[in-house]
Structure formats: C-alpha cells, structure tokens
Amino acid sequence: MIFSFSRLNLYEQCPFRFYNKYILGKDEPVTQPLALGKAVHQAIDDKINGLSHEEAVLNGYAAADFHKELKQQEISELVDRAPIQLNMGETEMYFKLPLADEANAPEIQGYIDLYEDGIITDWKTNRVSYNITANKQLALYAWAISQIEDLKTVKGVLNFLRFKKESSHTFTVDDMEKARKWALELAKEINEKEGLLKIQPHDYKKLYPAKPSRLCSHCPFAKSCIKINDIETPLGV
Ligand code: SF4
C-alpha cells in the first residue's frame, strides 16, 4: 500500500472506517463538500495556468462530474477569493517518497496545491477553519518538499477561501521530522495489521477497532458499524 496523509489520518481517527474503505474497498459516496473541494482546486489550478475565470470554473465543475448538489456560482465565488496570479508557481505538485532510509520503507504520496519559493499553499473550502498545526498534513508536505528542494525550513499556508483567512507556520527540521516519524509509525502499524489479517481474518474487529467520535455523524459506514461492533450510537447518527 502506498500511503497518503488522508489514509493515515483516517486510520488514526477510526481504524474501522479505514478497514471498510481501504481494506474492503467499500465506496464512500461523493458528498457535496468533497465535490466542491475538487471543483475549486481544479479551477484555481487552471486559472493560475492561464485559463480565464469562466473557463476555469467550468473545468472545475466538469472535474467534479457536474455533481447535482454543486452550484457554479459557489465554485466561482470561492475561486475569486484565492490570492493567485498567472503562472505564480508550480500547481498540483506530485510527490512520492520513502518515509525512511531503509529497505522496504513505506512510501508516502501526495499533491501539493501550490509550491512557490519555499512556500506551500493548500486551498481549503471547509465551512470551519482551523490552525495549520491541528493535524500533520502541511508538516508532512513540508517534509516532502524539503527533501525534493533540499530546504531547511518550509513555510506552509492553509488558505480558507470561504473566510479569506490564512493559517500559516514555518516548519523547521524538527517539525518536519516529527511529521515524518508520525507517518512512518502509522504506516508500519497498518502494514503489520494487513499481515496479521491475512493469518487471522476473523480478528478484523480487534485489529481495526471502531473509534466513535463526532466524525461518526458523517461516516458512510455508520449503520453497519453500529450493528457489527455493537457500540453505543455515535453522536449524531
Ligand atoms: S460510525 Fe464512527 S466508529 Fe463506526 S466506522 Fe464510522 S467513524 Fe468509525
């Protein structure tokens, strides 16, 4: 398995949801927030790379498969709030790196929305803003770019388009190392559990325990989870 921040984060938040999505391969429906995020990212990318605002918004809408709950107006307004200029940096920068300097080390991959002169930016369409250090996403991306560009510090910026608000932090070698180690430990644990699952498939509930939290209210596996795990109804479900 090649890892990404979202896979590791999901595993940390709830191993049973991770099991459903990535081990059993069950589909999660494309919700309006997911479709909106996809559309806006595509449109901003296209606009930086030379498309007109209208063309970029339409491309974004198409990238989200014209999701029935999506409105072009909302995509357009959010794209308009992005502080961007033509050809301002590298967009959708892909990376895939081993998480350690050892044989068979787990690999991590991801896309950095915008990279420009030691600064990485991630566009957010969320309805709630949060601090950039509230999770490891940008610290991990900063580590990746530090490896590619040979940098000692990397500035990360979360741009919450809805609020025209940024949360930023300059990641040091120490910050980035902590993120790398977090990712490595989780990736090794996941690999180890995949091995154990092959030997003891009936132990799946022990290997991937349900972890009820406020996130249950948006979980597509909530109904089967409650039945299988015989847990208390999670908040909001
Ligand atoms: S309902 Fe909650 S505990 Fe169950 S899989 Fe979903 S997130 Fe995990």
Side-chain angles (χ1 to χ4, degrees):
M1 181 182 293
I2 296 177
F3 296 92
S4 64
F5 167 76
S6 55
R7 281 188 186 209
L8 296 171
N9 195 42
L10 188 68
Y11 176 79
E12 194 175 49
Q13 285 173 338
C14 179
F16 195 68
R17 184 166 175 178
F18 175 93
Y19 169 76
N20 276 275
K21 183 166 179 176
Y22 293 115
I23 307 292
L24 298 182
K26 286 189 190 169
D27 283 338
E28 288 206 4
V30 180
T31 59
Q32 196 272 357
L34 278 179
L36 180 64
K38 189 165 190 182
V40 170
H41 278 77
Q42 181 66 55
I44 291 175
D45 184 6
D46 284 343
K47 207 172 158 182
I48 291 173
N49 291 308
L51 259 62
S52 70
H53 181 82
E54 289 69 28
E55 284 173 311
V57 169
L58 196 56
N59 264 9
Y61 192 30
D65 290 329
F66 307 102
H67 191 282
K68 61 181 187 318
E69 291 169 46
L70 212 51
K71 295 197 169 54
Q72 281 196 65
Q73 182 66 22
E74 189 177 10
I75 303 170
S76 174
E77 282 171 10
L78 290 172
V79 172
D80 228 6
R81 290 178 196 174
I84 54 173
Q85 289 161 12
L86 188 61
N87 299 323
M88 67 188 289
E90 192 170 339
T91 57
E92 287 291 296
M93 187 176 176
Y94 176 72
F95 66 85
K96 185 163 85 167
L97 297 167
L99 279 163
D101 192 12
E102 59 193 40
N104 302 319
E107 289 184 306
I108 184 109
Q109 66 179 356
Y111 287 90
I112 294 170
D113 291 347
L114 177 66
Y115 174 66
E116 189 189 22
D117 298 332
I119 304 173
I120 54 176
T121 299
D122 199 81
W123 311 113
K124 295 289 178 198
T125 52
N126 303 38
R127 288 182 160 75
V128 179
S129 64
Y130 55 87
N131 193 284
I132 190 167
T133 55
N135 64 42
K136 298 277 194 304
Q137 182 191 8
L138 269 278
L140 197 54
Y141 288 10
W143 170 77
I145 210 80
S146 77
Q147 301 300 297
I148 296 164
E149 300 286 324
D150 196 20
L151 299 171
K152 294 276 179 267
T153 60
V154 176
K155 184 177 176 184
V157 179
L158 287 184
N159 192 306
F160 293 92
L161 300 164
R162 207 171 281 281
F163 312 106
K164 278 195 165 183
K165 182 177 158 186
E166 286 184 358
S167 175
S168 65
H169 181 76
T170 299
F171 295 99
T172 62
V173 170
D174 190 40
D175 294 329
M176 297 187 278
E177 264 303 288
K178 278 185 189 146
R180 181 191 69 84
K181 284 181 182 158
W182 167 84
L184 181 62
E185 275 169 28
L186 281 180
K188 282 185 170 176
E189 187 178 316
I190 292 168
N191 282 345
E192 199 181 319
K193 287 195 179 175
E194 258 197 285
L196 288 171
L197 186 70
K198 282 190 187 126
I199 306 166
Q200 306 153 327
H202 298 300
D203 279 351
Y204 70 98
K205 285 196 278 185
K206 223 192 291 172
L207 292 169
Y208 302 94
K211 206 165 146 186
S213 73
R214 60 183 175 79
L215 299 171
C216 296
S217 56
H218 300 295
C219 177
F221 313 121
K223 274 191 188 140
S224 61
C225 171
I226 293 165
K227 210 164 142 192
I228 293 169
N229 293 296
D230 194 22
I231 54 174
E232 290 291 314
T233 308
L235 292 172
V237 179

